[in-house]
Amino acid sequence: MDESIPSAAGSLLLHPGSQSRRTLRKRNPGIDRSSLRFRPIPASTSGSRSRSNIRDASAEHVTRQRQSGSQAARGAQSERDVRVRQLKNRALSIPSTGKTPATVRQRMVMQMVYDEITPYPDEAWVSQLGIIINREYHQVKNWFSNQRQKDARDSRQQSPSLAATNALEASLCKINCDGREMRIRVSALDYCSAGAWSDGFFDEVVMIHNFRLLAKHSQDEARAALNDSNTSTMDITHTYSCPP
């Protein structure tokens, strides 16, 4: 009797897990052993779950792209608003000459914009134009307004049955320029596509035209000065060649 006790104790010490498993099975005889085994998910269920996950991931990706795109658009619009305010402040700070009419060069540049680009420049383009030709913001804006009224009167006199606004609108088309809608001449699209028009491109066109007028004016002045000097030289030569 005494010898069996140590052997049982030794078996418990050597194999503690076996005794606990036997005890667990004895204490829980109602457990379904099949529920403890690994059961693979059916192929149809796993496929539907994977497709659902893919759809959710793609929808989330599209949503993130839209959010990032809208944020980028808002950021670009805010940057443009700041730049337009800066341009307008520069144009407003140009010393005003009151009711002094525009110079020939200033009038020719504004007339080019009116005839070939647009009779309806917005705040940004009026500011850029005023800075380039060195004329105050409101003076440039008023010139375009007066020119539109003048053309409307001329159109009514030439064809009373045709509305002046309809004739002007017929020569315009709407484009998207730097995120806002602009009305420009249809003829302007012959030289540049609608997608290429921007504030920067408008600035380049006006600057080039203004530079050409300045260069031509300088050449005319130099030619006139040369002619005056030649005339003076001829007069002096004629004076000294005359007999006393």
Side-chain angles (χ1 to χ4, degrees):
M1 186 67 182
D2 295 337
E3 294 177 356
S4 62
I5 293 175
S7 61
S11 63
L12 290 175
L13 293 174
L14 293 175
H15 305 286
S18 61
Q19 181 65 23
S20 61
R21 285 195 295 271
R22 286 195 297 270
T23 305
L24 179 62
R25 285 196 294 270
K26 290 179 180 179
R27 291 181 180 178
N28 301 282
I31 294 179
D32 186 7
R33 296 180 182 180
S34 62
S35 63
L36 301 177
R37 298 176 183 176
F38 173 75
R39 289 182 298 176
I41 300 175
S44 60
T45 306
S46 61
S48 62
R49 288 183 180 179
S50 62
R51 287 193 295 270
S52 177
N53 293 335
I54 292 173
R55 285 195 299 269
D56 295 341
S58 61
E60 184 178 357
H61 179 67
V62 170
T63 303
R64 289 179 179 177
Q65 282 187 335
R66 290 178 179 175
Q67 291 176 352
S68 61
S70 61
Q71 291 176 357
R74 287 194 297 269
Q77 184 64 30
S78 62
E79 290 179 0
R80 183 186 177 277
D81 293 341
V82 172
R83 181 170 54 83
V84 170
R85 284 196 297 270
Q86 293 175 351
L87 289 173
K88 186 175 181 180
N89 291 333
R90 286 182 58 188
L92 289 171
S93 63
I94 296 174
S96 176
T97 55
K99 294 184 178 181
T100 303
T103 63
V104 176
R105 175 183 57 84
Q106 292 173 342
R107 189 167 58 253
M108 291 179 68
V109 175
M110 291 188 291
Q111 193 69 47
M112 183 276 297
V113 174
Y114 185 92
D115 293 337
E116 300 184 17
I117 302 179
T118 178
Y120 294 100
D122 66 346
E123 190 177 50
W125 286 13
V126 170
S127 302
Q128 291 175 260
L129 183 56
I131 292 171
I132 292 173
I133 65 176
N134 194 30
R135 193 159 179 83
E136 200 265 341
Y137 175 86
H138 292 100
Q139 290 179 326
V140 177
K141 185 177 180 180
N142 292 336
W143 185 91
F144 277 88
S145 177
N146 295 335
Q147 192 67 22
R148 289 194 298 268
Q149 294 176 6
K150 178 178 178 297
D151 286 354
R153 288 194 301 268
D154 295 342
S155 298
R156 283 193 296 267
Q157 291 176 0
Q158 294 176 2
S159 55
S161 60
L162 181 63
T165 55
N166 294 337
L168 181 60
E169 292 296 332
S171 65
L172 303 176
C173 63
K174 296 180 180 180
I175 64 169
N176 186 357
C177 179
D178 288 344
R180 88 274 193 191
E181 188 178 86
M182 291 287 295
R183 289 179 292 176
I184 67 172
R185 298 280 188 184
V186 177
S187 58
L189 300 180
D190 296 337
Y191 306 100
C192 181
S193 62
W197 278 100
S198 63
D199 293 345
F201 184 73
F202 174 81
D203 192 73
E204 291 179 4
V205 171
V206 176
M207 287 184 66
I208 291 173
H209 189 72
N210 183 65
F211 175 78
R212 288 177 177 174
L213 292 177
L214 285 173
K216 184 178 182 302
H217 180 69
S218 299
Q219 291 175 359
D220 293 342
E221 286 185 343
R223 191 178 296 108
L226 181 61
N227 292 334
D228 292 341
S229 63
N230 291 336
T231 303
S232 301
T233 303
M234 291 177 62
D235 292 341
I236 294 173
T237 304
H238 180 71
T239 301
Y240 280 102
S241 62
C242 291

